[in-house]
Amino acid sequence: MKGLTDISVFNKTNGYGFSDWVDTRCEKKSSTTSVCTASMTIAPAWLPDSVPGDVNSTAGVWQVNATVKAKDGDYWISDHIAEFKMKRASKLTTDAAPEPVAKGATLTVTGKLSRANWEDLKYHGYARQDVKLQFKKAGATAYSTVKTVKTGDTGQLSTKVTATAAGSWRWYFPGTTTTARVVSTGDAVALK
C-alpha cells in the first residue's frame, strides 16, 4: 500500500465533519495486507463546520471514513470504519453537613454538576440530570447508591438523609451521549 490518503470524521447527529490528520503510516503485514493508522486531534471550538453560535452541538457520536491508495494506483474506500464519542467534560462536587453529625440525625448532602461549554471555555451548571447519591461506610471498600436526585436549573443538588453510620458521601453522574461520566470526591462524615 502507498498509504492512507484521506481520513474524515462526521458527526452522526448533525452531519458536520472535516478532514485533517497527522502521523499517517502504513505497515506491510503480508504480500496482500497492510495496516494503516493516522492520528487526529479535534478541538471543538475550532471545528470549521460547527453550527455558528452552537459549538456544543458537535458533541456526540462521530463516524470515521477513510481512503487508502496502493502503489499500483488501486484504492480502497470505506465510508464507515469506526465510530467514537466526543463528550463535553463534566465536574461534580459534594458537601455533607453538619460534620460531625449525631447518629440518627438528618444530614444534608449538597453538590453541583457542571459541564464544559465549548463556546466560552467555562463550566456551567447542567440542569435536569439524574445524579446518584452514594455512601461508603467507614472501613468499607465500595460505595453503594442510596438514592437518585435530579439537578436543579443551575446544576445544584441537595437532599436529606439519616446518618446511621460514619462514612463518606459522594455524587455519581453516569454521563450521557454528549457529556462525560464523573464521580465527585467523597466527603467523610464522622458521628458525634
Side-chain angles (χ1 to χ4, degrees):
M1 286 293 206
K2 181 178 181 182
L4 188 61
T5 59
D6 183 43
I7 187 167
S8 58
V9 293
F10 291 89
N11 185 307
K12 291 185 77 172
T13 303
N14 57 28
Y16 298 114
F18 68 100
S19 300
D20 191 18
W21 67 95
V22 295
D23 298 330
T24 302
R25 66 178 190 269
C26 288
E27 182 180 333
K28 184 176 179 179
K29 295 293 184 180
S30 71
S31 61
T32 59
T33 306
S34 292
V35 175
C36 298
T37 60
S39 298
M40 181 178 287
T41 300
I42 299 173
W46 174 84
L47 291 175
D49 294 329
S50 58
V51 179
D54 191 16
V55 171
N56 294 315
S57 70
T58 59
V61 179
W62 285 68
Q63 175 179 311
V64 180
N65 305 326
T67 302
V68 180
K69 187 182 258 185
K71 288 181 181 178
D72 63 5
D74 196 9
Y75 62 91
W76 174 82
I77 298 173
S78 176
D79 288 335
H80 196 163
I81 61 171
E83 288 185 357
F84 66 93
K85 292 178 184 173
M86 185 161 60
K87 295 187 176 189
R88 294 162 65 180
S90 55
K91 290 182 179 181
L92 192 54
T93 62
T94 299
D95 184 36
E99 296 180 55
V101 64
K103 185 172 183 176
T106 298
L107 186 68
T108 302
V109 185
T110 59
K112 182 173 182 176
L113 174 64
S114 56
R115 67 176 174 168
N117 181 314
W118 293 335
E119 292 288 336
D120 62 10
L121 305 179
K122 295 180 182 177
Y123 282 82
H124 298 274
Y126 194 12
R128 295 173 294 284
Q129 299 301 308
D130 287 335
V131 181
K132 298 175 187 301
L133 177 65
Q134 299 183 326
F135 178 71
K136 180 175 72 172
K137 190 174 180 177
T141 57
Y143 281 88
S144 59
T145 298
V146 175
K147 62 167 75 173
T148 300
V149 178
K150 195 171 286 291
T151 58
D153 292 340
T154 59
Q156 75 277 12
L157 291 155
S158 183
T159 192
K160 295 185 183 306
V161 292
T162 301
T164 58
S168 296
W169 295 89
R170 74 178 186 186
W171 293 104
Y172 165 72
F173 175 62
T176 66
T177 57
T178 61
T179 306
R181 166 191 175 277
V182 66
V183 180
S184 71
T185 300
D187 186 8
V189 178
L191 294 183
K192 290 182 185 179

